[in-house]
Amino acid sequence: MRPLVTISREYGSGGRIIGKLVAEKLGVPFYDKEIIDLAVEESGFSREMIESAELKAKSSFAYSLASTVGFGESVSGGSLSVNEKLFLAQFDVIREIGEKGEGVIVGRCADYVLRDTPGVTNVFIYSEMEERIRRCTEVYGDDPKKVKNIIATYDKARQNYYNYHTCQKWGDYRNYNLVINTYCITEEQAADLIVSYVRGRTCPEKEEA
């Protein structure tokens, strides 16, 4: 099976740490902030614009409204908003990674972008709130007094961003091959579960339409 993995995650669930471990164990490239670097290089957008694109979606109404405002280039009789251009800049990079056939990609709707790629393994990682708070304060260094608000803000932004651009529901188990609760296991154990799944799964070839 191709070592191509996407990881979607709740904030504070350890998804990025786990993704990096999975990449090391599989011996493939790891893509998180690296996607931003590649998108900046290919699109000409600033790093700040691309890096903050997802967090702008913390208000679903405001994000949807902003995304209806078109600028410049015509596409199918319409025009693309800045939000859509920022999404497509990362979309193209992720698709190129998928064509290479290997890597671990964290976030950025990668499961949706690569949904028709044979053999891709899509993973969703979540955890109980008490564990997320612990990881955010002890590992990420978030302010204990603000941590619950930080978690809620990031989760809402990720949900709105994903739902808007994919027309799917963020966290819906039907969009993933594997869903893991990291509450009672270590990041290392979670990574081992993913690696075992990737190496052990078998997928029948899709029939020609």
Side-chain angles (χ1 to χ4, degrees):
M1 188 55 58
R2 305 171 78 188
L4 182 61
V5 181
T6 74
I7 293 183
S8 302
R9 76 287 188 215
E10 291 182 334
Y11 187 76
S13 65
R16 185 182 186 282
I17 298 170
I18 293 166
K20 193 167 183 62
L21 287 170
V22 170
E24 291 171 357
K25 291 173 183 291
L26 290 174
V28 298
F30 174 71
Y31 299 96
D32 182 21
K33 300 296 184 183
E34 293 80 2
I35 289 177
I36 295 175
D37 294 332
L38 292 169
V40 168
E41 184 179 325
E42 294 189 14
S43 70
F45 283 114
S46 71
R47 162 173 274 279
E48 291 73 23
M49 288 184 70
I50 296 178
E51 199 164 28
S52 63
E54 187 178 71
L55 196 56
K56 289 178 181 176
K58 56 187 176 182
S59 167
S60 60
F61 175 75
Y63 190 77
S64 297
L65 183 63
S67 295
T68 63
V69 180
F71 295 92
E73 301 170 13
S74 175
V75 176
S76 301
S79 57
L80 293 176
S81 71
V82 170
N83 287 340
E84 289 166 334
K85 287 182 179 181
L86 292 171
F87 172 74
L88 288 175
Q90 297 179 84
F91 182 103
D92 290 340
V93 169
I94 293 169
R95 188 167 54 185
E96 288 174 10
I97 295 169
E99 290 173 356
K100 293 177 182 177
E102 63 177 26
V104 175
I105 307 170
V106 174
R108 296 171 179 82
C109 306
D111 63 287
Y112 174 79
V113 177
L114 301 178
R115 64 194 183 281
D116 295 323
T117 303
V120 64
T121 298
N122 298 316
V123 181
F124 188 84
I125 296 175
Y126 71 105
S127 192
E128 307 304 317
M129 183 56 72
E130 62 183 276
E131 173 62 13
R132 296 169 70 189
I133 290 173
R134 182 202 66 76
R135 184 177 284 106
C136 287
T137 54
E138 295 180 8
V139 181
Y140 301 172
D142 290 329
D143 186 339
K145 295 180 181 179
K146 300 178 181 179
V147 66
K148 286 187 177 181
N149 184 58
I150 292 171
I151 289 172
T153 297
Y154 272 93
D155 277 359
K156 190 65 176 175
R158 288 173 180 173
Q159 180 184 49
N160 291 336
Y161 183 85
Y162 183 93
N163 292 356
Y164 178 83
H165 287 293
T166 70
C167 295
Q168 296 182 164
K169 186 177 179 181
W170 182 72
D172 187 334
Y173 73 91
R174 288 169 292 190
N175 298 329
Y176 312 98
N177 303 104
L178 188 63
V179 178
I180 298 176
N181 183 343
T182 57
Y183 179 49
C184 291
I185 59 175
T186 65
E187 288 95 346
E188 190 84 30
Q189 289 172 319
D192 285 338
L193 283 173
I194 296 170
V195 170
S196 177
Y197 183 89
V198 171
R199 288 176 173 165
R201 71 181 288 216
T202 57
C203 295
E205 293 293 329
K206 291 184 178 180
E207 295 183 4
E208 294 291 335

